[in-house]
Amino acid sequence: MSTALKCLRPFLRLQARLLPQAASSAYLRFYSAARSQNEPRIRFGSGILERRYISEPYPRIKPEKAAIECKEFFERYREIHREHTSKEEVIIRGRIWSFRAAGSKLAFVDLYQDNRKIQCIFNYGKLADTDSSPSRFKGFLGSLHRGNVLSVKGFPHRTSRNELSIQATELPQLLSRCSQFLPEDLKDQETRMRNRHVDLLINPWLSDTIRLRAKVIQFLRQYLSDDGHIEVQTPILADTAGGAVARPFTTTATEFQNRRISLRIAPELWLKRLVLGGFEKIFEIGPSFRNEGIDLNHNPEFTTCEFYRTYVELEGLISKTETMFLRLSRVVATMLQYECRNIPPQEIDFSPPYRRLDFIPAVEAAVGQQLPDLTSLVAQSELLALFNDKGITLPSLPTVPRLLEKLSSTYLEPQCITPTWIINHPECLSPLSKSFIHPDNQQRVAARAELFIENQEFVNTYEEENSPEEQRRKFEEQLLYHEGDPDAGVDESYLQALEWGLPPTGGWGCGIDRLCMLFAGTNRIADVLSFGTLRNVIALRQSSKRS
């Protein structure tokens, strides 16, 4: 046997003992929902070679002036010529992504740090460490394990293959040991969601998606701040959940044990109270909660961005949205090109102006007949007759608003592939917006616009109703559509707030999760949430308890 193989023999024996059977068994045990109570969680790190090299597997790190991040490393030393080495010693810390030995005295280790990989070269003949005996170098080779976190000291060096690397000057320090078998890929959906941290580590597309989400939120926050808006936070817990029609989550509080507390379903009414308080340009990015179903596009916990500003009309809101989305698309395109290369760019033209569909005329053109007067007592019966004639499936509760929403989803939304505005919704669909008589068909419609892209709603914007009398009328009309709902009622506190005089105000809301889905090119909301949907989160906790 050659000298190189003799030196590596203990290392190879260690791997032979662990792979493939033991490693496969460890993989299955780790990713299985059930685990034996007597089974130790840590299964690696008992080899003789590792003990020769590693003294402390989880040390504290010390302040090091030479420590540098991968991004800064590549920027600072990109001018190094082929087969040249810098004289500046640096320290890089990261996770072992792959490693390969070339004989007994040469090893290459790829470290992964902050979405970047860097090659570290360990040449026994170039190690300055006086304690680097052959036995310690063998111990180092035997300790290499995919997933371990190392600290490497050395000189920036560009190889003959033009790869910017680190020429190590001493053996690396182990900062954290990965005690599990880190797989090369992870494709099973259930396994991925049950071990989301591993999924993020293994699948670069998913980790890029989370980074993309952060960039989208950062852009919206910066854009609105630059436009003069103040970021605020409004209550998540309150005695009622207003601002939208949805079933809330309820709970109790120690301080109010005899009262039911609701998680907000939208921050809208709180934000308009702040406008009443003199904050004329505000926005909030935060979570809302709706106790409803989970599917590819919906999760009970979701994130929205809402802004409100005084003295802006619907056309102004539409113009601001088109400008915002055009700039956002350019920021995302740049990020996908340089930082998140695992996400394919989306071919969507956000250049304004966007196409528009006038709600009632567009529906009438699609069904080939006029809609009834939607404020009349016979509106529901005539709409039901229309549904029967066209063979359209009725919604579960066929009220006038739900019948109109069904017509929109059947005839209008499928037309919205490129960015398209649906405008002038019937008044009954928008109780919080101002309304007017449509000049062409004399129907009462809302000063509202919804932006659809690829058949999905992304923005809802309208001129806010600021008349206490009109708002009360619209609230009371909404009660007619909620028969049998014990939670339905008129928000008297909000009506009293309107009596202080809400200036003409434009409101705007956008679902962050769905916006990130669009730019990431995924149709699963779970992909843009750090730990998936509520179903995934519950399954994760249950799996942990069983183990």
Side-chain angles (χ1 to χ4, degrees):
M1 183 179 292
S2 67
T3 304
L5 290 178
K6 288 181 180 178
C7 293
L8 288 175
R9 184 166 52 190
F11 170 71
L12 295 175
R13 286 177 178 172
L14 173 65
Q15 298 303 311
R17 287 199 303 271
L18 294 175
L19 296 174
Q21 295 181 349
S24 176
S25 177
Y27 178 90
L28 293 175
R29 288 196 297 269
F30 175 62
Y31 292 112
S32 174
R35 180 186 285 117
S36 170
Q37 296 297 322
N38 298 322
E39 179 187 341
R41 183 173 292 271
I42 296 177
R43 291 179 287 279
F44 285 91
S46 58
I48 298 175
L49 289 178
E50 292 193 33
R51 291 199 296 271
R52 287 183 187 174
Y53 164 64
I54 300 169
S55 58
E56 172 56 56
Y58 303 100
R60 293 183 61 198
I61 60 173
K62 301 176 181 179
E64 300 277 4
K65 292 184 178 180
I68 187 173
E69 294 183 354
C70 276
K71 181 179 180 181
E72 184 182 354
F73 176 86
F74 285 112
E75 290 175 352
R76 183 185 297 182
Y77 301 107
R78 64 177 181 269
E79 302 298 333
I80 293 179
H81 297 296
R82 190 189 300 261
E83 297 186 315
H84 280 68
T85 304
S86 171
K87 295 182 179 180
E88 298 180 12
E89 195 170 52
V90 298
I91 295 174
I92 288 287
R93 296 156 177 159
R95 185 182 299 273
I96 296 179
W97 197 250
S98 62
F99 58 89
R100 53 208 178 276
S104 62
K105 296 184 179 181
L106 180 63
F108 300 89
V109 178
D110 290 333
L111 294 188
Y112 186 82
Q113 182 208 81
D114 196 22
N115 207 31
R116 291 175 174 83
K117 281 195 286 187
I118 182 170
Q119 177 179 258
C120 304
I121 304 171
F122 294 91
N123 188 329
Y124 178 74
K126 295 187 177 181
L127 296 181
D129 189 351
T130 56
D131 192 35
S132 294
S133 62
S135 61
R136 287 203 76 221
F137 196 80
K138 293 177 190 177
F140 157 65
L141 292 177
S143 71
L144 289 176
H145 176 60
R146 178 173 154 85
N148 281 357
V149 180
L150 302 180
S151 176
V152 178
K153 181 183 292 188
F155 296 114
H157 170 77
R158 191 174 293 278
T159 67
S160 59
R161 295 185 178 182
N162 205 35
E163 182 173 358
L164 188 58
S165 309
I166 290 182
Q167 181 71 61
T169 56
E170 60 184 60
L171 292 178
Q173 179 188 18
L174 177 66
L175 299 181
S176 182
R177 173 184 290 159
C178 177
S179 304
Q180 299 287 352
F181 177 78
L182 192 62
E184 293 289 339
D185 56 37
L186 198 58
K187 296 180 180 179
D188 180 73
Q189 290 292 342
E190 183 179 352
T191 302
R192 289 175 59 195
M193 286 302 176
R194 200 164 53 238
N195 301 275
R196 188 66 161 184
H197 50 290
V198 183
D199 191 18
L200 290 165
L201 194 61
I202 296 300
N203 293 314
W205 174 85
L206 183 60
S207 59
D208 278 357
T209 300
I210 301 302
R211 290 183 174 87
L212 174 64
R213 177 189 178 95
K215 192 70 171 182
V216 169
I217 294 175
Q218 180 188 38
F219 170 85
L220 293 174
R221 177 172 282 116
Q222 190 63 51
Y223 182 90
L224 292 171
S225 297
D226 292 345
D227 199 29
H229 293 76
I230 298 173
E231 184 172 12
V232 297
Q233 288 79 43
T234 58
I236 290 179
L237 294 173
D239 58 343
T240 59
V245 179
R247 180 185 302 167
F249 284 94
T250 59
T251 184
T252 57
T254 303
E255 188 69 21
F256 309 102
Q257 295 186 4
N258 297 324
R259 298 186 62 179
R260 188 183 66 175
I261 304 297
S262 298
L263 276 69
R264 73 179 183 194
I265 56 179
E268 178 173 348
L269 301 185
W270 294 109
L271 291 169
K272 285 192 279 191
R273 284 180 170 91
L274 288 176
V275 176
L276 278 162
F279 294 88
E280 299 192 356
K281 293 181 182 179
I282 57 173
F283 76 95
E284 180 173 12
I285 298 175
S288 292
F289 308 85
R290 300 186 182 183
N291 194 1
E292 297 174 349
I294 301 173
D295 57 31
L296 289 177
N297 296 307
H298 298 89
N299 188 47
E301 178 183 355
F302 57 98
T303 304
T304 61
C305 173
E306 294 196 15
F307 79 74
Y308 293 82
R309 62 186 296 157
T310 56
Y311 314 117
V312 61
E313 75 296 333
L314 186 62
E315 286 297 329
L317 292 167
I318 290 175
S319 176
K320 288 181 180 297
T321 304
E322 294 178 349
T323 300
M324 177 193 297
F325 271 55
L326 178 61
R327 294 184 183 178
L328 175 58
S329 67
R330 291 171 176 171
V331 169
V332 169
T334 301
M335 185 177 190
L336 298 188
Q337 182 178 1
Y338 296 105
E339 298 179 47
C340 299
R341 297 180 180 179
N342 296 291
I343 300 176
Q346 304 305 304
E347 301 297 331
I348 302 174
D349 184 8
F350 286 97
S351 302
Y354 299 164
R355 178 172 172 248
R356 299 189 185 189
L357 291 175
D358 199 327
F359 191 107
I360 294 177
V363 170
E364 291 176 339
V367 300
Q369 67 183 71
Q370 286 189 341
L371 296 182
D373 179 358
L374 299 175
T375 61
S376 68
L377 297 177
V378 297
Q380 183 179 25
S381 60
E382 293 191 25
L383 286 175
L384 289 173
L386 172 62
F387 272 64
N388 183 58
D389 292 341
K390 299 298 179 181
I392 306 172
T393 304
L394 290 173
S396 57
L397 184 63
T399 61
V400 172
R402 293 200 177 187
L403 291 170
L404 291 171
E405 289 174 347
K406 182 67 174 182
L407 289 174
S408 176
S409 64
T410 303
Y411 294 109
L412 302 188
E413 295 173 18
Q415 302 181 45
C416 304
I417 305 300
T418 60
T420 303
W421 291 104
I422 297 179
I423 60 173
N424 300 334
H425 299 64
E427 181 188 67
C428 62
L429 292 179
S430 307
L432 291 169
S433 70
K434 295 189 74 68
S435 52
F436 62 96
I437 303 298
H438 196 291
D440 296 334
N441 51 45
Q442 305 306 305
Q443 298 266 24
R444 290 192 65 86
V445 296
R448 174 188 177 191
E450 286 183 297
L451 177 61
F452 282 80
I453 307 170
E454 296 183 352
N455 313 125
Q456 298 288 328
E457 177 197 356
F458 287 89
V459 171
N460 185 25
T461 185
Y462 47 79
E463 298 174 18
E464 304 292 339
E465 180 59 77
N466 59 347
S467 165
E469 294 78 16
E470 277 294 289
Q471 188 63 80
R472 178 177 292 279
R473 176 184 68 82
K474 294 176 181 178
F475 277 164
E476 291 174 349
E477 288 181 356
Q478 285 296 302
L479 292 179
L480 301 176
Y481 305 125
H482 295 277
E483 295 181 2
D485 184 356
D487 297 324
V490 174
D491 191 336
E492 293 290 346
S493 65
Y494 178 65
L495 293 175
Q496 292 173 10
L498 287 181
E499 294 177 359
W500 292 90
L502 177 68
T505 300
W508 184 95
C510 175
I512 298 294
D513 308 317
R514 190 170 292 178
L515 187 60
C516 295
M517 290 169 62
L518 175 70
F519 286 115
T522 178
N523 63 351
R524 300 175 67 253
I525 191 172
D527 290 334
V528 300
L529 303 175
S530 296
F531 290 93
T533 64
L534 180 61
R535 181 180 292 115
N536 306 134
V537 172
I538 298 299
L540 175 65
R541 298 294 299 172
Q542 290 176 343
S543 174
S544 176
K545 290 179 181 179
R546 286 197 299 268
S547 64

